[in-house]
Amino acid sequence: MNYVFAFDTSLEAVQGGFLSSACKVLIDLLYGDSQPENQESDGTDQQTAISPYWNPESKLAIITFDRELCFYDFSPGSSQASMMVVSDIDEVFVPMPAISSLFVDPVDGRQLLQQFLVDLPNRYANTVCAQAAMGSSIAASLALLSQTGGKVVIFGTCLPKIGLGMLGALVG
């Protein structure tokens, strides 16, 4: 089964630490980790191992969104993921065939994917965009999955105020 993970990179998501937390959670899901559970009375941390929870037959793609959509190409042999920007959030399209390297096997592409997820919050650390095109990211995710099927996971912090499915302020 294929998965598309869409990350909100708007100002609220970055400044609130949500983007960083979402990336950390995905790394833990894919590869496992050790987290401090609690402190012992002698001041040392007790470690609890978090086992990875990922179907080895599954692949994933990543989209980021604010006022535009960004797709990431995880070509084998690349030193980093290439970013492709789609600025038209009203007529959403996938910039390359979905069966291409937009989907990555997290085991085979571990080094590239893990480094990407660690670096992602830093890429957007200086963002000034307060808008999020969440509806457009959902449409793009469904387009990516149109040939194979799968699931979409959205990490979002604010109302979609632009693009497809935008919501306005309540009146009254």
Side-chain angles (χ1 to χ4, degrees):
M1 177 177 298
N2 290 334
Y3 290 83
V4 176
F5 291 91
F7 292 90
D8 181 348
T9 55
S10 66
L11 184 65
E12 184 177 336
V14 173
Q15 285 185 344
F18 183 79
L19 178 60
S20 180
S21 294
C23 289
K24 176 74 173 113
V25 165
L26 185 54
I27 290 169
D28 290 349
L29 172 79
L30 295 172
Y31 307 115
D33 201 352
S34 292
Q35 297 288 328
E37 183 178 290
N38 56 25
Q39 283 200 339
E40 297 292 324
S41 58
D42 62 0
T44 60
D45 286 339
Q46 180 181 354
Q47 297 288 319
T48 301
I50 299 173
S51 299
Y53 183 77
W54 187 258
N55 181 346
E57 297 173 8
S58 296
K59 292 186 175 186
L60 65 93
I62 294 178
I63 298 174
T64 57
F65 62 94
D66 49 21
R67 68 174 159 254
E68 54 195 15
L69 303 175
C70 298
F71 296 81
Y72 297 90
D73 178 8
F74 294 96
S75 295
S78 298
S79 60
Q80 64 181 21
S82 301
M83 180 170 62
M84 294 164 283
V85 179
V86 174
S87 297
D88 188 353
I89 56 174
D90 294 317
E91 297 289 330
V92 176
F93 63 93
V94 178
M96 60 192 300
I99 58 172
S100 65
S101 52
L102 290 177
F103 282 96
V104 62
D105 180 333
V107 175
D108 294 341
R110 179 177 181 157
Q111 183 177 356
L112 182 62
L113 183 58
Q114 192 166 6
Q115 190 59 49
F116 171 80
L117 290 169
V118 167
D119 292 343
L120 187 60
N122 294 330
R123 283 189 184 199
Y124 290 95
N126 298 320
T127 189
V128 294
C129 181
Q131 300 168 322
M134 186 185 300
S136 299
S137 73
I138 293 170
S141 299
L142 294 175
L144 272 172
L145 294 170
S146 64
Q147 294 178 352
T148 61
K151 295 188 179 195
V152 177
V153 179
I154 305 283
F155 293 102
T157 60
C158 55
L159 289 175
K161 296 180 182 172
I162 58 172
L164 300 174
M166 67 181 178
L167 299 173
L170 294 174
V171 179

mmCIF file of all heavy atoms in Angstrom, residues 70-100:
data_model
loop_
_atom_site.group_PDB
_atom_site.id
_atom_site.type_symbol
_atom_site.label_atom_id
_atom_site.label_comp_id
_atom_site.label_asym_id
_atom_site.label_seq_id
_atom_site.Cartn_x
_atom_site.Cartn_y
_atom_site.Cartn_z
ATOM 1 N N CYS A 70 4.601 21.566 -2.751
ATOM 2 C CA CYS A 70 5.938 21.092 -3.096
ATOM 3 C C CYS A 70 5.946 19.572 -3.056
ATOM 4 O O CYS A 70 5.518 18.973 -2.073
ATOM 5 C CB CYS A 70 6.984 21.648 -2.138
ATOM 6 S SG CYS A 70 7.119 23.439 -2.178
ATOM 7 N N PHE A 71 6.414 18.986 -4.149
ATOM 8 C CA PHE A 71 6.567 17.540 -4.259
ATOM 9 C C PHE A 71 8.062 17.241 -4.187
ATOM 10 O O PHE A 71 8.880 18.065 -4.595
ATOM 11 C CB PHE A 71 6.012 17.041 -5.597
ATOM 12 C CG PHE A 71 4.546 17.249 -5.765
ATOM 13 C CD1 PHE A 71 4.030 18.480 -6.145
ATOM 14 C CD2 PHE A 71 3.663 16.204 -5.554
ATOM 15 C CE1 PHE A 71 2.672 18.675 -6.309
ATOM 16 C CE2 PHE A 71 2.300 16.384 -5.717
ATOM 17 C CZ PHE A 71 1.807 17.625 -6.089
ATOM 18 N N TYR A 72 8.423 16.058 -3.732
ATOM 19 C CA TYR A 72 9.824 15.717 -3.549
ATOM 20 C C TYR A 72 10.167 14.436 -4.286
ATOM 21 O O TYR A 72 9.484 13.425 -4.146
ATOM 22 C CB TYR A 72 10.152 15.603 -2.052
ATOM 23 C CG TYR A 72 9.940 16.927 -1.366
ATOM 24 C CD1 TYR A 72 8.710 17.258 -0.806
ATOM 25 C CD2 TYR A 72 10.944 17.879 -1.340
ATOM 26 C CE1 TYR A 72 8.494 18.496 -0.217
ATOM 27 C CE2 TYR A 72 10.747 19.121 -0.748
ATOM 28 C CZ TYR A 72 9.521 19.416 -0.192
ATOM 29 O OH TYR A 72 9.308 20.650 0.386
ATOM 30 N N ASP A 73 11.216 14.519 -5.078
ATOM 31 C CA ASP A 73 11.705 13.408 -5.889
ATOM 32 C C ASP A 73 12.850 12.733 -5.137
ATOM 33 O O ASP A 73 13.892 13.338 -4.900
ATOM 34 C CB ASP A 73 12.199 13.956 -7.235
ATOM 35 C CG ASP A 73 12.765 12.884 -8.136
ATOM 36 O OD1 ASP A 73 12.657 11.688 -7.808
ATOM 37 O OD2 ASP A 73 13.313 13.252 -9.190
ATOM 38 N N PHE A 74 12.633 11.487 -4.738
ATOM 39 C CA PHE A 74 13.625 10.711 -3.991
ATOM 40 C C PHE A 74 14.316 9.712 -4.916
ATOM 41 O O PHE A 74 14.306 8.513 -4.658
ATOM 42 C CB PHE A 74 12.954 9.975 -2.826
ATOM 43 C CG PHE A 74 12.398 10.886 -1.772
ATOM 44 C CD1 PHE A 74 11.053 11.249 -1.774
ATOM 45 C CD2 PHE A 74 13.215 11.391 -0.782
ATOM 46 C CE1 PHE A 74 10.541 12.089 -0.801
ATOM 47 C CE2 PHE A 74 12.720 12.227 0.201
ATOM 48 C CZ PHE A 74 11.373 12.587 0.183
ATOM 49 N N SER A 75 14.926 10.215 -5.980
ATOM 50 C CA SER A 75 15.604 9.336 -6.938
ATOM 51 C C SER A 75 16.738 8.573 -6.258
ATOM 52 O O SER A 75 17.519 9.174 -5.518
ATOM 53 C CB SER A 75 16.174 10.151 -8.099
ATOM 54 O OG SER A 75 15.144 10.730 -8.841
ATOM 55 N N PRO A 76 16.845 7.270 -6.530
ATOM 56 C CA PRO A 76 17.950 6.497 -5.955
ATOM 57 C C PRO A 76 19.290 7.081 -6.412
ATOM 58 O O PRO A 76 19.443 7.493 -7.553
ATOM 59 C CB PRO A 76 17.743 5.091 -6.516
ATOM 60 C CG PRO A 76 16.322 5.049 -6.968
ATOM 61 C CD PRO A 76 15.952 6.452 -7.335
ATOM 62 N N GLY A 77 20.230 7.121 -5.507
ATOM 63 C CA GLY A 77 21.543 7.642 -5.842
ATOM 64 C C GLY A 77 21.701 9.140 -5.658
ATOM 65 O O GLY A 77 22.801 9.671 -5.754
ATOM 66 N N SER A 78 20.593 9.841 -5.387
ATOM 67 C CA SER A 78 20.676 11.287 -5.159
ATOM 68 C C SER A 78 21.208 11.548 -3.756
ATOM 69 O O SER A 78 20.954 10.782 -2.834
ATOM 70 C CB SER A 78 19.303 11.942 -5.282
ATOM 71 O OG SER A 78 18.791 11.777 -6.571
ATOM 72 N N SER A 79 21.901 12.676 -3.606
ATOM 73 C CA SER A 79 22.399 13.030 -2.273
ATOM 74 C C SER A 79 21.327 13.736 -1.453
ATOM 75 O O SER A 79 21.407 13.784 -0.234
ATOM 76 C CB SER A 79 23.642 13.910 -2.385
ATOM 77 O OG SER A 79 23.332 15.105 -3.077
ATOM 78 N N GLN A 80 20.318 14.299 -2.130
ATOM 79 C CA GLN A 80 19.188 14.920 -1.433
ATOM 80 C C GLN A 80 17.965 14.899 -2.334
ATOM 81 O O GLN A 80 18.082 14.765 -3.547
ATOM 82 C CB GLN A 80 19.507 16.347 -0.995
ATOM 83 C CG GLN A 80 19.752 17.327 -2.112
ATOM 84 C CD GLN A 80 20.096 18.706 -1.586
ATOM 85 O OE1 GLN A 80 20.518 18.862 -0.464
ATOM 86 N NE2 GLN A 80 19.909 19.706 -2.414
ATOM 87 N N ALA A 81 16.801 15.045 -1.729
ATOM 88 C CA ALA A 81 15.552 15.034 -2.488
ATOM 89 C C ALA A 81 15.423 16.326 -3.291
ATOM 90 O O ALA A 81 15.741 17.402 -2.798
ATOM 91 C CB ALA A 81 14.370 14.888 -1.543
ATOM 92 N N SER A 82 14.957 16.198 -4.530
ATOM 93 C CA SER A 82 14.713 17.370 -5.371
ATOM 94 C C SER A 82 13.296 17.864 -5.128
ATOM 95 O O SER A 82 12.357 17.068 -5.046
ATOM 96 C CB SER A 82 14.857 17.012 -6.848
ATOM 97 O OG SER A 82 16.143 16.520 -7.107
ATOM 98 N N MET A 83 13.150 19.193 -5.033
ATOM 99 C CA MET A 83 11.837 19.780 -4.781
ATOM 100 C C MET A 83 11.248 20.300 -6.089
ATOM 101 O O MET A 83 11.931 20.967 -6.860
ATOM 102 C CB MET A 83 11.959 20.932 -3.778
ATOM 103 C CG MET A 83 10.637 21.600 -3.474
ATOM 104 S SD MET A 83 10.699 22.772 -2.090
ATOM 105 C CE MET A 83 11.854 23.980 -2.653
ATOM 106 N N MET A 84 9.970 19.974 -6.323
ATOM 107 C CA MET A 84 9.228 20.480 -7.470
ATOM 108 C C MET A 84 8.047 21.280 -6.937
ATOM 109 O O MET A 84 7.263 20.761 -6.142
ATOM 110 C CB MET A 84 8.750 19.329 -8.346
ATOM 111 C CG MET A 84 9.901 18.579 -8.987
ATOM 112 S SD MET A 84 9.401 16.994 -9.638
ATOM 113 C CE MET A 84 9.309 16.058 -8.137
ATOM 114 N N VAL A 85 7.931 22.531 -7.359
ATOM 115 C CA VAL A 85 6.920 23.441 -6.831
ATOM 116 C C VAL A 85 5.768 23.574 -7.818
ATOM 117 O O VAL A 85 5.984 23.788 -9.014
ATOM 118 C CB VAL A 85 7.537 24.837 -6.565
ATOM 119 C CG1 VAL A 85 6.478 25.800 -6.045
ATOM 120 C CG2 VAL A 85 8.694 24.726 -5.582
ATOM 121 N N VAL A 86 4.550 23.441 -7.302
ATOM 122 C CA VAL A 86 3.338 23.676 -8.080
ATOM 123 C C VAL A 86 2.656 24.885 -7.447
ATOM 124 O O VAL A 86 2.146 24.803 -6.330
ATOM 125 C CB VAL A 86 2.405 22.442 -8.071
ATOM 126 C CG1 VAL A 86 1.084 22.755 -8.764
ATOM 127 C CG2 VAL A 86 3.096 21.256 -8.722
ATOM 128 N N SER A 87 2.678 26.007 -8.175
ATOM 129 C CA SER A 87 2.119 27.252 -7.646
ATOM 130 C C SER A 87 0.622 27.384 -7.895
ATOM 131 O O SER A 87 -0.056 28.136 -7.199
ATOM 132 C CB SER A 87 2.836 28.451 -8.269
ATOM 133 O OG SER A 87 4.194 28.431 -7.899
ATOM 134 N N ASP A 88 0.107 26.667 -8.894
ATOM 135 C CA ASP A 88 -1.316 26.749 -9.215
ATOM 136 C C ASP A 88 -2.090 25.823 -8.278
ATOM 137 O O ASP A 88 -2.197 24.620 -8.514
ATOM 138 C CB ASP A 88 -1.552 26.359 -10.671
ATOM 139 C CG ASP A 88 -2.986 26.601 -11.111
ATOM 140 O OD1 ASP A 88 -3.832 26.946 -10.258
ATOM 141 O OD2 ASP A 88 -3.269 26.447 -12.308
ATOM 142 N N ILE A 89 -2.626 26.398 -7.205
ATOM 143 C CA ILE A 89 -3.325 25.582 -6.207
ATOM 144 C C ILE A 89 -4.810 25.419 -6.510
ATOM 145 O O ILE A 89 -5.512 24.708 -5.793
ATOM 146 C CB ILE A 89 -3.128 26.163 -4.788
ATOM 147 C CG1 ILE A 89 -3.578 27.609 -4.722
ATOM 148 C CG2 ILE A 89 -1.671 26.000 -4.353
ATOM 149 C CD1 ILE A 89 -3.562 28.201 -3.336
ATOM 150 N N ASP A 90 -5.276 26.068 -7.585
ATOM 151 C CA ASP A 90 -6.680 25.913 -7.977
ATOM 152 C C ASP A 90 -6.863 24.829 -9.038
ATOM 153 O O ASP A 90 -7.929 24.239 -9.146
ATOM 154 C CB ASP A 90 -7.233 27.246 -8.478
ATOM 155 C CG ASP A 90 -7.303 28.281 -7.369
ATOM 156 O OD1 ASP A 90 -7.732 27.919 -6.250
ATOM 157 O OD2 ASP A 90 -6.907 29.437 -7.605
ATOM 158 N N GLU A 91 -5.836 24.586 -9.839
ATOM 159 C CA GLU A 91 -5.836 23.528 -10.854
ATOM 160 C C GLU A 91 -4.645 22.618 -10.552
ATOM 161 O O GLU A 91 -3.622 22.652 -11.230
ATOM 162 C CB GLU A 91 -5.709 24.130 -12.261
ATOM 163 C CG GLU A 91 -6.863 25.016 -12.666
ATOM 164 C CD GLU A 91 -8.128 24.226 -12.933
ATOM 165 O OE1 GLU A 91 -8.037 23.054 -13.358
ATOM 166 O OE2 GLU A 91 -9.216 24.783 -12.718
ATOM 167 N N VAL A 92 -4.788 21.802 -9.545
ATOM 168 C CA VAL A 92 -3.687 20.992 -9.029
ATOM 169 C C VAL A 92 -3.316 19.889 -10.009
ATOM 170 O O VAL A 92 -4.174 19.264 -10.612
ATOM 171 C CB VAL A 92 -4.064 20.377 -7.667
ATOM 172 C CG1 VAL A 92 -2.986 19.460 -7.157
ATOM 173 C CG2 VAL A 92 -4.347 21.472 -6.662
ATOM 174 N N PHE A 93 -2.012 19.677 -10.173
ATOM 175 C CA PHE A 93 -1.511 18.588 -10.988
ATOM 176 C C PHE A 93 -0.258 18.013 -10.331
ATOM 177 O O PHE A 93 0.379 18.660 -9.511
ATOM 178 C CB PHE A 93 -1.192 19.051 -12.419
ATOM 179 C CG PHE A 93 -0.113 20.089 -12.489
ATOM 180 C CD1 PHE A 93 1.216 19.727 -12.675
ATOM 181 C CD2 PHE A 93 -0.424 21.441 -12.359
ATOM 182 C CE1 PHE A 93 2.212 20.685 -12.732
ATOM 183 C CE2 PHE A 93 0.575 22.402 -12.425
ATOM 184 C CZ PHE A 93 1.896 22.023 -12.604
ATOM 185 N N VAL A 94 0.072 16.789 -10.706
ATOM 186 C CA VAL A 94 1.273 16.131 -10.209
ATOM 187 C C VAL A 94 2.374 16.401 -11.229
ATOM 188 O O VAL A 94 2.187 16.127 -12.411
ATOM 189 C CB VAL A 94 1.037 14.617 -10.026
ATOM 190 C CG1 VAL A 94 2.294 13.917 -9.557
ATOM 191 C CG2 VAL A 94 -0.100 14.388 -9.036
ATOM 192 N N PRO A 95 3.535 16.925 -10.802
ATOM 193 C CA PRO A 95 4.556 17.361 -11.756
ATOM 194 C C PRO A 95 5.298 16.257 -12.501
ATOM 195 O O PRO A 95 6.025 16.529 -13.438
ATOM 196 C CB PRO A 95 5.532 18.151 -10.874
ATOM 197 C CG PRO A 95 5.345 17.619 -9.515
ATOM 198 C CD PRO A 95 3.905 17.208 -9.421
ATOM 199 N N MET A 96 5.138 15.025 -12.096
ATOM 200 C CA MET A 96 5.741 13.895 -12.810
ATOM 201 C C MET A 96 4.892 12.662 -12.540
ATOM 202 O O MET A 96 4.079 12.662 -11.620
ATOM 203 C CB MET A 96 7.206 13.693 -12.399
ATOM 204 C CG MET A 96 7.446 13.407 -10.939
ATOM 205 S SD MET A 96 9.171 13.512 -10.414
ATOM 206 C CE MET A 96 9.993 12.317 -11.394
ATOM 207 N N PRO A 97 5.029 11.610 -13.335
ATOM 208 C CA PRO A 97 4.188 10.421 -13.119
ATOM 209 C C PRO A 97 4.332 9.879 -11.694
ATOM 210 O O PRO A 97 5.432 9.836 -11.143
ATOM 211 C CB PRO A 97 4.738 9.411 -14.137
ATOM 212 C CG PRO A 97 5.408 10.233 -15.177
ATOM 213 C CD PRO A 97 5.932 11.454 -14.474
ATOM 214 N N ALA A 98 3.218 9.484 -11.132
ATOM 215 C CA ALA A 98 3.201 9.012 -9.739
ATOM 216 C C ALA A 98 4.016 7.743 -9.549
ATOM 217 O O ALA A 98 4.505 7.474 -8.461
ATOM 218 C CB ALA A 98 1.764 8.779 -9.281
ATOM 219 N N ILE A 99 4.181 6.961 -10.615
ATOM 220 C CA ILE A 99 4.944 5.719 -10.483
ATOM 221 C C ILE A 99 6.448 5.976 -10.514
ATOM 222 O O ILE A 99 7.243 5.059 -10.412
ATOM 223 C CB ILE A 99 4.546 4.706 -11.582
ATOM 224 C CG1 ILE A 99 4.763 5.308 -12.971
ATOM 225 C CG2 ILE A 99 3.132 4.232 -11.381
ATOM 226 C CD1 ILE A 99 4.576 4.341 -14.104
ATOM 227 N N SER A 100 6.824 7.229 -10.636
ATOM 228 C CA SER A 100 8.242 7.583 -10.678
ATOM 229 C C SER A 100 8.836 7.586 -9.275
ATOM 230 O O SER A 100 8.336 6.938 -8.379
ATOM 231 C CB SER A 100 8.391 8.966 -11.311
ATOM 232 O OG SER A 100 7.779 9.911 -10.459
#
